[in-house]
Amino acid sequence: VRGRAFVLVALSVVAAGVFTARLDLNQYYYFAAYVVLQYVVLATAWNILGGYTGYVNFGTPAFFALGAYTAVVLIKALKAPLLAQLVAGAAVAGVLGLAIGYLTLRLRGVFFSIATLALAVVLQTVFVNWEYTGGARGFTVARPAAVPFVGNYVQFLFVVMLALAMVAVATARWIERSWIGRGLAAIRDNEEAAECMGVPTLRLKLVSTTVSGMLMGLAGAPFPYYITFVEPTSVFDLNYAVNSLAMPMIGGTTTWIGPLIGAVLLGTAQQIATVTISSALNLLLVGVILVAFVILAPEGIVGLIKRLARRGHS
Amino acid sequence: MVMFSLDLLLNALVAGILLGGFYAAVSLGISVAFGLLDIANIAHPVFVMLGSYVAYFMNVRFGFDPILTGLVFTPVFYALGVVLYRVYYTSFERKGAESLRGLVFFFGILFIVEVALLLAFGVDYRLVEARYIGESLRIGPVGIAFRLLVPCTVGVAMTGALYLFLSKTFYGRAIQAVAQDAFALRLMGANPFRVKDIAFGVAIATAALAGALLIMIGPVEPAMNREYIGRVFAVAVLGGMGSIGGTLVAGLILGVAESLTSTFSGPSWSVAVSFGVLLLALAVRPSGLFGR
């Protein structure tokens, strides 16, 4: 897809989203679609650091929750509008991403991953103890009234998340195709060699961690209005870490379309499984699918398709 | 906040030391798997959890003593470890793709075991019963609860046994050799794969007993393993990768630090301590206290 065509497609997807919102379907569909789109943002964000740069982040819940709690603070202190919450959530999570980026100076591979996991646990402890946002008891948010033209607030949030998903995918696609993406790939393949060849590794890693963190915060910022009750155990859920890493792994980590495919497939499958089977069993399924893909198809669905296409040609 | 007092401090110190012996037991498997074999098995704590639930099941159903259960199930966990390592080896290590995908693999295993435990036993806290668990001993102002003393004693015994195994037996020395130079071992005519097989089996086997100790200290629920990821890696890194004696020392340091924190600023902060220790160790001295 060419650049201009991509933008056109993205815009028409959002327009289709507005149209779908106006259809006023069964509310469940908007709730479910929101979650799937949220995973598109999280998986794409994770992949910018994990897939492009080769640093495995187990701390998705930390960034997501930081976005959500930034929104909570803004709602409580200023009654700020959603747009301000989005900007602030992304900014705060981006700063955390920047800090994580400096961490990569000392911590590589496994140690980096464990540090991100540590970050999530420490941050959760902070929010459990912070009375302003309700501590462990949680914080109740009142959803604003309906939005003209679009529909009620859940329908509006669905459109917002759709737009955010497009922003995330466009960002990932842009990074992948620019010199930044090539630099990140060089870091992924061999960081020492990249440094020796004059690739500004630290600066690129900082870009990667910051953008990845910002997008995760962006995914978290509308969450308080969506869920209306924010408490530490639900926003710091390990499911976010597992899913945001499983989805790119299943779709394919080297291109922007991989996480998109993975998130739509796995996200939708989970929504269906939650309704038809049970929510615990569907988590088990995610784990099994993740392990199966890592062992059997390390290139993901995109890799499988490429392999099939190559076989077709020869 | 609690007022500072000497009695409180003494009690916190003793509890911390006892807890530390137990932390060493939980971390031994990581010291072997991660420290010696360079396999970042972040699923280790979930196997400890599995050990806890086995102890719980045998205790509730047959009235088995938790420590006895731990010992009996050690061979089963050993076999589990061997199988897990074979899968890991054929899928990742042999292809030289272990670092990232291997990590994701273990993360997936962690998630599967945790959810499976959740499905089997639910989210309720479970505990075991044995005659000695409720008892305690008093020395002056200091109380020593048996539910901490027994795990600490067993933990120290496990550390000693593993130390002797690694330094005195043929296979133990082979494991140390594979950690130092697998290629040289191959030149000597030995098979590094076979040796690592045994080592990883031993690493997981420690989880059977460590799990029994965990459920003795307090009630458990499946998601608890995540708190222990930070703890075991903090202990393994702080102790100096692969150093068994260092594991015990680091376990004691972490135990005391957590106990003091939880006494003087509230129990909810004690989890953050381990991660603080880990980050500090990684940033300041990545080779640990007794690193090579």
Side-chain angles (χ1 to χ4, degrees):
Chain A
V1 201
R2 292 270 156 72
R4 202 171 298 166
F6 180 84
V7 172
L8 274 177
V9 170
L11 285 178
S12 37
V13 167
V14 176
V18 175
F19 178 73
T20 317
R22 288 184 53 123
L23 282 181
D24 218 5
L25 302 166
N26 182 340
Q27 289 298 298
Y28 168 75
Y29 292 112
Y30 299 111
F31 274 103
Y34 177 93
V35 174
V36 174
L37 291 166
Q38 176 180 287
Y39 277 130
V40 170
V41 180
L42 286 177
T44 305
W46 183 90
N47 201 44
I48 291 175
L49 184 60
Y52 296 172
T53 326
Y55 278 83
V56 176
N57 177 7
F58 289 144
T60 306
F63 296 94
F64 178 80
L66 207 55
Y69 269 108
T70 306
V72 166
V73 170
L74 284 181
I75 292 169
K76 187 175 179 187
L78 305 167
K79 297 218 177 342
L82 185 64
L83 187 65
Q85 294 170 28
L86 290 175
V87 172
V92 173
V95 170
L96 185 68
L98 190 68
I100 286 283
Y102 278 107
L103 219 57
T104 64
L105 277 175
R106 304 281 316 219
L107 308 179
R108 286 187 190 165
V110 183
F111 292 113
F112 175 79
S113 304
I114 295 167
T116 55
L117 195 66
L119 183 78
V121 174
V122 172
L123 214 59
Q124 181 172 0
T125 312
V126 169
F127 281 109
V128 164
N129 287 291
W130 198 28
E131 277 306 313
Y132 186 76
T133 52
R137 278 174 291 109
F139 187 87
T140 310
V141 179
R143 228 178 254 148
V147 176
F149 188 71
V150 181
N152 69 27
Y153 211 78
V154 172
Q155 291 160 345
F156 173 67
L157 283 177
F158 157 74
V159 175
V160 168
M161 198 40 91
L162 186 64
L164 293 182
M166 291 303 126
V167 169
V169 172
T171 312
R173 183 175 175 278
W174 178 77
I175 287 181
E176 186 186 321
R177 297 183 171 209
S178 67
W179 64 276
I180 298 176
R182 289 191 290 277
L184 294 178
I187 294 173
R188 176 186 61 208
D189 293 338
N190 190 333
E191 194 162 336
E192 276 76 27
E195 180 76 48
C196 291
M197 295 303 285
V199 176
T201 54
L202 177 62
R203 233 188 313 153
L204 285 178
K205 283 192 294 184
L206 291 180
V207 169
S208 172
T209 54
T210 308
V211 172
S212 176
M214 276 174 79
L215 290 176
M216 285 176 182
L218 207 54
F223 194 66
Y225 276 153
Y226 171 77
I227 199 84
T228 67
F229 177 66
V230 181
E231 51 116 12
T233 40
S234 73
V235 283
F236 282 98
D237 203 320
L238 192 69
N239 299 342
Y240 293 119
V242 177
N243 272 309
S244 65
L245 150 172
M247 286 160 177
M249 284 284 167
I250 287 165
T253 53
T254 46
T255 56
W256 58 270
I257 202 156
L260 182 63
I261 294 174
V264 170
L265 283 183
L266 198 58
T268 312
Q270 279 182 68
Q271 286 304 315
I272 294 170
T274 310
V275 183
T276 52
I277 317 171
S278 83
S279 57
L281 209 59
N282 101 61
L283 290 178
L284 192 65
L285 217 63
V286 175
V288 172
I289 293 175
L290 171 64
V291 169
F293 261 90
V294 178
I295 292 176
L296 301 173
E299 313 277 85
I301 291 172
V302 172
L304 286 179
I305 293 172
K306 271 187 190 157
R307 215 185 302 166
L308 279 178
R310 225 173 293 146
R311 204 170 293 167
H313 278 296
S314 57
Chain B
M1 291 300 144
V2 188
M3 284 279 285
F4 184 86
S5 82
L6 195 64
D7 280 9
L8 208 59
L9 180 68
L10 269 177
N11 270 300
L13 274 176
V14 170
I17 290 169
L18 295 178
L19 201 60
F22 159 71
Y23 282 169
V26 183
S27 311
L28 285 175
I30 284 295
S31 287
V32 172
F34 188 46
L36 293 175
L37 308 180
D38 206 21
I39 300 173
N41 177 17
I42 54 169
H44 187 74
V46 96
F47 286 107
V48 174
M49 228 61 235
L50 190 65
S52 292
Y53 277 98
V54 169
Y56 164 75
F57 182 78
M58 297 302 279
N59 185 262
V60 169
R61 189 58 73 82
F62 306 108
F64 259 49
D65 181 80
I67 292 179
L68 185 66
T69 311
L71 280 173
V72 168
F73 273 85
T74 300
V76 180
F77 275 61
Y78 175 85
L80 197 66
V82 170
V83 171
L84 192 64
Y85 177 70
R86 297 228 164 129
V87 174
Y88 175 77
Y89 175 79
T90 43
S91 318
F92 308 104
E93 204 168 67
R94 200 179 49 189
K95 296 174 188 160
E98 63 252 45
S99 56
L100 292 190
R101 301 202 180 281
L103 203 57
V104 174
F105 167 72
F106 283 116
F107 197 54
I109 297 287
L110 179 167
F111 201 63
I112 291 173
V113 178
E114 185 183 314
V115 176
L117 286 176
L118 207 68
L119 284 171
F121 296 98
V123 287
D124 299 334
Y125 280 90
R126 306 283 178 186
L127 67 157
V128 289
E129 278 167 27
R131 254 183 310 115
Y132 49 84
I133 288 178
E135 309 268 323
S136 72
L137 207 120
R138 277 204 89 76
I139 304 171
V142 180
I144 298 176
F146 275 33
R147 63 172 185 87
L148 282 175
L149 184 64
V150 175
C152 177
T153 315
V154 176
V156 172
M158 281 168 72
T159 313
L162 192 63
Y163 180 80
L164 288 178
F165 168 71
L166 286 176
S167 56
K168 299 284 188 250
T169 65
F170 174 76
Y171 279 112
R173 289 181 181 181
I175 292 170
Q176 303 245 25
V178 92
Q180 281 178 16
D181 196 337
F183 184 66
L185 196 72
R186 201 185 291 261
L187 291 180
M188 294 304 181
N191 184 357
F193 169 64
R194 183 80 199 99
V195 176
K196 285 183 162 189
D197 213 69
I198 295 168
F200 200 79
V202 169
I204 298 294
T206 63
L209 207 48
L213 303 181
L214 172 67
I215 198 168
M216 205 182 287
I217 284 186
V220 298
E221 51 99 19
M224 244 170 96
N225 75 82
R226 295 175 215 159
E227 297 169 14
Y228 279 89
I229 295 174
R231 289 201 180 109
V232 297
F233 277 92
V235 170
V237 171
L238 187 65
M241 305 284 284
S243 159
I244 301 301
T247 305
L248 184 59
V249 175
L252 292 175
I253 291 175
L254 183 66
V256 170
E258 277 195 20
S259 175
L260 290 180
T261 316
S262 110
T263 306
F264 293 107
S265 45
S268 62
W269 284 104
S270 69
V271 180
V273 172
S274 59
F275 288 107
V277 168
L278 176 64
L279 287 179
L280 207 67
L282 287 175
V284 180
R285 189 169 159 76
S287 57
L289 296 172
F290 299 91
R292 282 168 293 183

